Amino acid sequence: MNKKVLIIDDDPTILEAIKLTLELEDYKTQTVSDCEKAIEISKTYIPDVILLDLLLSGNNGCSIAKELKEEAKTKNIPIIMISAHPSAKTMAKLAGADDFIAKPFDIDDLLNIVKKHAK
Amino acid sequence: MKRKPPNPTWNTRASTYPTFLRFAIPVATVLLAFGIKLQLESLFHLETPYLVFFASIMISAWYGGFKTSLLATVLSTVLIFYFFLHPDHNSFIIHNIKEAIEISIFLIEGILISVLSQFAHNALRKSEIKNIELKRSREHYKLVVDAVKDYAIYTLDPDGYITSWNKGAKRIKGYKAKEIIGKHFSIFYPQERINKKDPWNVLEIAEEKGRFEDEGLRIKKDGSAFWADVVITSLMDDQGKLQGFSQITRDMTKHRELDKRKDEFISIASHELKTPITSIKVFNQIMQKLSLQRKDKEFQHYLNRMEGQIDRLNEIITDLLDVSKIQAGKLEFKKDLFNLNDLTREIVEDIQTTTKKHRIIIEGKSLKKIFGDKDRIGQVLTNFLTNAIKYSPSTDKIIVKIIPQKDRVTIGVQDFGIGISKEHQEKIFERFYRVYTEDEKTFPGLGMGLYISSDIIERHNGKIWVESEKGKGSTFYFTLFYTKT
């Protein structure tokens, strides 16, 4: 059974790029760029991994990561934070994420980190 | 008392005294001595030596210095010569050698007293002038410092008790001078930092290194907190003994609001710039994979070249954003305790994956934790390692040395590449400085990595430097102090 990945980012091109990358390795993907929709879809889609852009989550006052970790249905789903910020690693952990990858990334790095958490 | 301005060439204390007294006192005292001697002789038949006149010479010397004393000497000599030199009658004739010697010795000693008293007067005058100058400069300084309203400027004794307080301190912290002088400066710190003994640690560091700069919350008299920028400087006397500390505190609240906006802007700019680069890089790598599958060597080649440029662009943007943060004075650090060993291992692992040619070896280890921004220190290490790789293209080894000492740990990154000549070594940490090789080939990059690294290390109160020999390689070092906890 193929693993499911939910990609949450506000840039449609990035969504497309990441989606393409994951589908190359036979992952099933769902993309969303809206905060509220993201929570909804998480609860119904129940992905194996969530990729989340930090700017979306943190500074906009949209604290998806925290909410997902509090929701019963989604609290066990690993969240990997993506961000351009160099100090985002620590911020990501504080926001409740399980791991972090810096933008821009190598697709192999992305695939490795998704594989690691999508067990 | 009428005061005359001091004569610049003969700057005596006495020259400031009224002329009348400088004349009257020697005359009066000599006459008095004369009278006493006569009385003692006639009333009590006491043959007192004319040494009583020395008293008037000395009084005149004490009062008015050389000229006054000389006058007294001359007057005394005249009177003695006429009245007392020859036991039997009064005259100005010298009868024998004994009398000549007597009067000469008296005169010489009188002159000697006059001269010596002048030195004493001069010395006194000098010290008086110095005192006046000192008092004036102290008052001036006090006015200057006191008037400053934007900065809290105050001093501490060596143990941290407050010894002075200016208007700015009252405005910023809320305490009046009367109520705060004598109290310990830890009263300004939030309780958590007092518990961690931070105020005392800070004084220790300031004493050791001469100064300590800190940004953090401070508490006002009313209990409210504000963000402060604090510089503590240790004050030493001529022998190098600690006299106390001077402290300057700036209220950064307004600055922080402005900077928050600047930070948000930089953060958004960073995000905005990196987003398209992310997509381009991903698409490029996907195309590389596909052209590999399709065995299209030509496309592979071009896509590979593009990848290099994308990475270069990314590096430049990262550096630019870091530098703009440094310029804004706001490269923010999130400091915490972390393990330098683990960080080094992580970074080396990451970097090792980028080079198949070089082998990165770690030597040594450090057990104590460092208080600092882990990601930023990691950035410095990454910068050292990427430079090591970049500037040693034809060798295959890079050594990372971890050297712990009692109060600090030093990390060195050694490469065996082209090295750096002495003239470049001094400038290499400057902004925009790039090294050119002899054949004018330049290495890519903006020249900001080391500038950023040195800013990071310096703001952790550490040291950063390089040891290098042209043609043999370079070792870049940074040192961080352990926390005092």
Side-chain angles (χ1 to χ4, degrees), chain B residues 19-48:
Chain B
T19 326
F20 167 70
L21 276 177
R22 281 162 61 200
F23 184 75
I25 284 181
V27 171
T29 50
V30 167
L31 289 176
L32 191 64
F34 184 64
I36 290 175
K37 182 152 168 56
L38 286 177
Q39 286 302 311
L40 287 175
E41 273 185 17
S42 61
L43 285 182
F44 304 107
H45 302 286
L46 265 174
E47 274 274 338
T48 62

Side-chain angles (χ1 to χ4, degrees), chain B residues 329-347:
Chain B
K330 268 301 150 189
L331 198 61
E332 234 182 47
F333 294 145
K334 290 192 162 54
K335 293 192 180 172
D336 205 342
L337 284 171
F338 70 92
N339 187 314
L340 194 58
N341 254 1
D342 295 344
L343 176 69
T344 309
R345 240 161 274 281
E346 264 176 55
I347 303 280

Side-chain angles (χ1 to χ4, degrees), chain B residues 299-314:
Chain B
F299 267 37
Q300 265 183 63
H301 174 73
Y302 292 132
L303 293 169
N304 206 300
R305 297 293 301 278
M306 277 174 64
E307 167 118 48
Q309 297 309 297
I310 295 170
D311 286 341
R312 196 173 155 193
L313 195 59
N314 184 47

Side-chain angles (χ1 to χ4, degrees), chain A residues 9-11 13-14 16-18 20-21 24-25 53 55 59 84-91 94 103-108 111, chain B residues 267-268 270-271 274-279 281-283 285-286 289-290 293 307 311 314 322 325 332 334 346 350 373 375-376 379:
Chain A
D9 196 303
D10 56 350
D11 184 86
T13 317
I14 294 229
E16 189 189 335
I18 298 179
L20 208 57
T21 308
L24 267 183
E25 294 291 315
D53 184 293
L55 197 65
N59 303 5
H85 227 271
S87 343
K89 219 175 197 171
T90 5
M91 281 205 278
L94 286 172
K103 263 201 297 213
F105 43 75
D106 288 307
I107 56 177
D108 288 331
L111 290 168
Chain B
S267 183
I268 293 171
S270 162
H271 184 256
K274 297 230 175 178
T275 298
I277 290 184
T278 307
S279 304
K281 191 172 164 91
V282 168
F283 288 136
Q285 287 184 341
I286 291 178
K289 275 203 191 227
L290 291 175
Q293 281 175 17
E307 167 118 48
D311 286 341
N314 184 47
D322 275 350
K325 279 191 215 175
E332 234 182 47
K334 290 192 162 54
E346 264 176 55
D350 282 342
D373 187 318
D375 293 327
R376 289 295 178 183
Q379 189 176 345

